[in-house]
Every structure is written in C-alpha cells, then in structure tokens.
Amino acid sequence: MSGKTLAEKLLSAKSGTDARAGDYVEADVDVAMAHDITGPLAFQTFDEVTGDDGELFAPDRTVFTIDHHAPADGVQAANNHNAVREFAAKHGAHQFDVGDGICHAVLVEEGFVGPGDLVIGADSHSTTYGGIGAFGTGVGSTDLGTALATGELWFRVPKTLRFEVDGNLQDGVYAKDLILRFIGDVGFDGCTYMAAEYAGSTIESLPIHERLVLSNMAIEMGGKTGLVAPDERTESYLERQTGNEIDLSDAFVSDDDADYEAVHTYDAAALAPQVSKPSNPENAVDVTEVAGTEIDQLFVGTCTNGRYEDIKIVADILAGETIAPNARMVVVPASKSVYQHMLQTGVFQTLTDAGAVIQSAGCGPCAGYHQGVLGDGDVCLATANRNFPGREGSMESSVYLSSPATVGASALYGEITDPREVETKRYDDTVFAEVLP
C-alpha cells in the first residue's frame, strides 16, 4: 500500500483510524471558531442540541470574533455583536471584539492553532491554518453548532492535489502571485473537496505569512484545506509569536510514495506577477496583460493580505510619494496587533501622507459590507481573495485581485502596473516580531 499524504495523516491522527482518501471518519476537533455573521446561527443550533444547560466541548479552545461588520454598520449587525458577546460570556469562550481583528489572523497570532491540529471555523477561509501545518477547514454554522457541543465532526478524507514550486522567485513576485496562478491553472472548482498541498524548495523558503496566503486561498479553487508541511521555520515563527516552546514531534509531512490526484510543477523563476480579472479568481493572467487598466480604488487588507508585512510592502513603495489623483486607497489591517505595529514603525504615517485612508482592524470592504464599498462603474485593485460580481459593493463594479506589491506600484500611477517596474522588498517573519511590545 502506498504512503500517506499530509491530509490523510492529519485525519488519521484525529480519528484514530488508518484513514485514506475517500474514507469517512469521525474526528476530534482541537479548535472551533465563529464570527459575528456565522456565530448566531451556530449558537441557535448549539442550544437546540444541548438545551439551556449545555456546555461547550472545550471553552479554552473555542474562539469567537467580531470582525465582519465591525464596527457595526447597522442595528442588525449590532444585535449580532451582542449575541456573540453574550454567548461567549455565558460559556466561558474566548471572544475578540470590534477592532481586535479578523478571526484567521487572531487565531494564528494568539497561538490558538498549532501544527497537527484540526481546526474548524464557520468561515470558508478557515483553510488558512494549513499554512502552519494544521488541518483547517470551513464548515457551516449548523455543523459548527453541533461540534461546539460534541467536540467531534465527520469528514470524508480528501484526495490531494499537489503544487510543487522550485527555484527562486523574481523580484516583485510573492505567494499571492503563486496562488492566483494555481487557481488560474486548475480553475475555480479544480480542487473541489480536495486538499491543496504546497511543496518544493520555493515553498520551503517562504516565510510563514506567505504560506498562510497559499492556504487561505485554497478555497478559491474549491479546496477542503490547504496544507504546507510544518518545519523549523514554522517552529521559530510560532515560538516568536506566542513565547511558547513548540514541539513538532506530533506534526506530519507527506510520505515520498503518497498517492496524489495530480501534481502540478512550476519553475519559480518563470512566474510573473499575476492579476485575476473580474469576476472570478480563476481569471488569472500575467500583470502585463492588464497593465494600464485605470483604477478608482485600491484596497489593501483582508485575511489574505492584511498582515504587517503585506502593508509594509505597500508603504515602502509609497514612501515619499502620493497616490495618483484619480485613485483612492483603503487600508484595513488584519488585526489590532498589525495596526499597532503600523503606528510604532511609521508605516501608518507613510500611508496617510501618501493619501491612504486607514480603517480599524477587521474584514472591511472585502465582502462589500462597509468601510469603502464600490459604486456603479468603479474599478478596484485589491489584495482580497474574491472578485465575484458585487463582492465589494455594486454589481456594476469591477474587482481585480493582486499582491500587495502590485497594488502599491499601481497606486503610484492610478492604473494597474507591473511591480517589477518599481523597487520591491521581501520580508521574513522576524520583521513583525522585531517590534512586538
């Protein structure tokens, strides 16, 4: 019998079975999460399952965030916020409030997730946690509500689609460009209910904040999870972030003879910066194909590219410059910690001097709720993960997706611009850690 993939090993460990792709397993959940949109329905299900005296399976490993409509943009949003606060307080769960940040950023920064964990979240981008070697996946609010009571959930063990990248990336090319290229190659549904596994020397060289980008957008090609095998870089990152010693002895890597559904290989040096055209992430093209497209708004943020390193790349490009007069920029940090780092290091000042508007930490206009939605005919270049019609506002608007470097370069000229035309930097994970209070 062939060896196992990373996904098979993770679900074998959590189910206590010899799990193979296609098997159905009942697995133990390590961490459960919901936010202000998905939480209230999950709470309703939990109450129906357990009754008035129900208890969470593990309050210390249950996390709720208020991040989507944050600050509240209407009465219904405010009521949802209160429901989250009340449920968390009643059951002793961890709860992060308005301005604390996006669930996927907070769970990693605060050390709730580690290699080998099974993490479920009532949000599709819960695949993010695979960037540190956890099996992270999104579930519906009803499934989450049940799991909050039982600590278990059933899974069909996914097949694995492997993406191998070797060599050195060009200047101006980042993990966001890689994942857009992968999605463009396999299509929006090309990895449906499969694990996307990222490997090769290029992936191994990526800092953790870029690995998280790859895992985050696995869902944009239908992936059940997106996985990068944990290594010494993962260990060092988590120890810096949490101050705790990390033990990788319970972590997993794929076997050399593991069975994959398909393997896609890439030469890193041949990859150009990517832009996904409206209105699907799979519409990925080399930036040169859309260079010159005029832009009304630039959006920097989201759970994909709202980390400090992402925003600093944009600030480096705009330092001493101003945003083109025909464009506006909205910046939304992924967490309060990122916001504070921007203040401490001068990134905040650089961006505001350039003309950017900086919002409190959260999801911002990513799903078109508030903090900078688009109007009819508006064209936006965003570091977000989705660009469906109406995703960031009007159904008549257009959203292009790219890396922070491409957004920064484009801000200078008010049109989509190849980031290789300006000086760009690449940061490792210590940049964020160096200014921790």
Side-chain angles (χ1 to χ4, degrees):
M1 184 175 289
S2 63
K4 288 187 177 183
T5 64
L6 179 51
E8 289 172 326
K9 288 187 176 183
L10 286 164
L11 289 180
S12 291
K14 294 304 171 184
S15 64
T17 67
D18 180 20
R20 299 278 177 167
D23 292 346
Y24 290 85
V25 299
E26 191 84 18
D28 293 331
V29 172
D30 290 297
V31 182
M33 178 276 297
H35 50 65
D36 49 309
I37 293 179
T38 60
L41 179 56
F43 305 156
Q44 179 180 329
T45 300
F46 174 85
D47 289 339
E48 291 172 354
V49 170
T50 66
D52 292 338
D53 298 324
E55 295 182 357
L56 295 175
F57 81 99
D60 61 325
R61 292 181 279 122
T62 303
V63 184
F64 302 123
T65 60
I66 297 175
D67 56 12
H68 276 59
H69 289 270
D73 58 348
V75 173
Q76 183 59 56
N79 289 338
N80 285 343
H81 292 185
N82 288 335
V84 172
R85 295 180 183 115
E86 291 166 6
F87 187 90
K90 177 180 178 180
H91 295 281
H94 293 276
Q95 188 247 309
F96 293 90
D97 218 297
V98 173
D100 286 332
I102 304 172
C103 48
H104 311 306
V106 171
L107 261 66
V108 174
E109 288 179 9
E110 299 295 328
F112 285 100
V113 179
D117 285 347
L118 173 57
V119 187
I120 60 171
D123 184 279
S124 60
H125 289 104
S126 298
T127 54
T128 303
Y129 312 120
I132 55 175
F135 191 104
T137 192
V139 299
S141 294
T142 303
D143 280 344
L144 185 81
T146 303
L148 289 176
T150 65
E152 297 178 336
L153 196 62
W154 70 269
F155 295 89
R156 176 161 58 87
V157 181
K159 298 178 180 179
T160 297
L161 203 60
R162 185 174 167 99
F163 298 86
E164 293 183 0
V165 191
D166 289 295
N168 296 320
L169 295 169
Q170 299 181 45
D171 289 343
V173 179
Y174 297 82
K176 182 61 164 292
D177 301 296
L178 294 181
I179 189 62
L180 292 180
R181 182 69 270 151
F182 300 160
I183 297 166
D185 286 346
V186 306
F188 188 69
D189 59 356
C191 193
T192 298
Y193 209 97
M194 287 188 274
E197 183 177 311
Y198 311 107
S201 63
T202 308
I203 307 302
E204 292 170 2
S205 71
L206 289 178
I208 301 304
H209 67 270
E210 292 202 67
R211 296 183 187 185
L212 294 169
V213 173
L214 299 177
S215 295
N216 175 275
M217 290 189 66
I219 187 63
E220 266 64 64
M221 49 185 163
K224 181 66 175 174
T225 190
L227 298 168
V228 180
D231 54 18
E232 292 182 0
R233 189 183 294 268
T234 314
E235 184 178 28
S236 297
Y237 170 84
L238 291 174
E239 288 180 350
R240 284 193 302 269
Q241 287 292 109
T242 66
N244 300 323
E245 185 174 340
I246 303 299
D247 182 6
L248 289 183
S249 61
D250 291 331
F252 302 100
V253 296
S254 291
D255 292 326
D256 291 338
D257 61 341
D259 186 18
Y260 296 102
E261 180 71 5
V263 178
H264 297 264
T265 59
Y266 298 84
D267 174 9
L271 296 173
Q274 299 292 296
V275 174
S276 282
K277 301 185 295 184
S279 293
N280 194 307
E282 71 179 4
N283 296 334
V285 297
D286 289 358
V287 64
T288 51
E289 292 192 28
V290 289
T293 302
E294 290 193 2
I295 302 163
D296 299 296
Q297 179 161 300
L298 304 119
F299 171 36
V300 181
T302 79
C303 59
T304 310
N305 282 120
R307 298 176 186 85
Y308 175 74
E309 298 87 350
D310 300 317
I311 298 172
K312 184 169 172 58
I313 287 170
V314 177
D316 288 341
I317 295 171
L318 292 177
E321 305 287 348
T322 57
I323 295 166
N326 64 295
R328 56 191 182 271
M329 177 181 283
V330 176
V331 179
V332 186
S335 70
K336 179 186 287 185
S337 183
V338 173
Y339 192 98
Q340 292 171 332
H341 282 53
M342 291 168 61
L343 287 169
Q344 294 166 357
T345 60
V347 166
F348 195 107
Q349 187 71 47
T350 297
L351 291 172
T352 54
D353 286 348
V357 174
I358 302 176
Q359 310 275 18
S360 58
C363 295
C366 178
Y369 298 134
H370 65 153
Q371 290 186 314
V373 300
L374 302 176
D376 295 344
D378 279 345
V379 176
C380 179
L381 180 64
T383 66
N385 40 53
R386 291 177 181 161
N387 59 346
F388 306 131
R391 173 68 181 180
E392 293 186 18
S394 169
M395 291 292 291
E396 304 304 318
S397 63
S398 300
V399 178
Y400 294 77
L401 305 177
S402 77
S403 75
T406 302
V407 168
S410 301
L412 291 174
Y413 301 101
E415 60 186 36
I416 296 179
T417 301
D418 190 332
R420 293 171 296 186
E421 295 182 10
V422 302
E423 182 179 354
T424 57
K425 297 180 181 178
R426 183 179 303 279
Y427 291 105
D428 65 25
D429 300 304
T430 61
V431 171
F432 187 77
E434 283 171 355
V435 291
L436 285 172

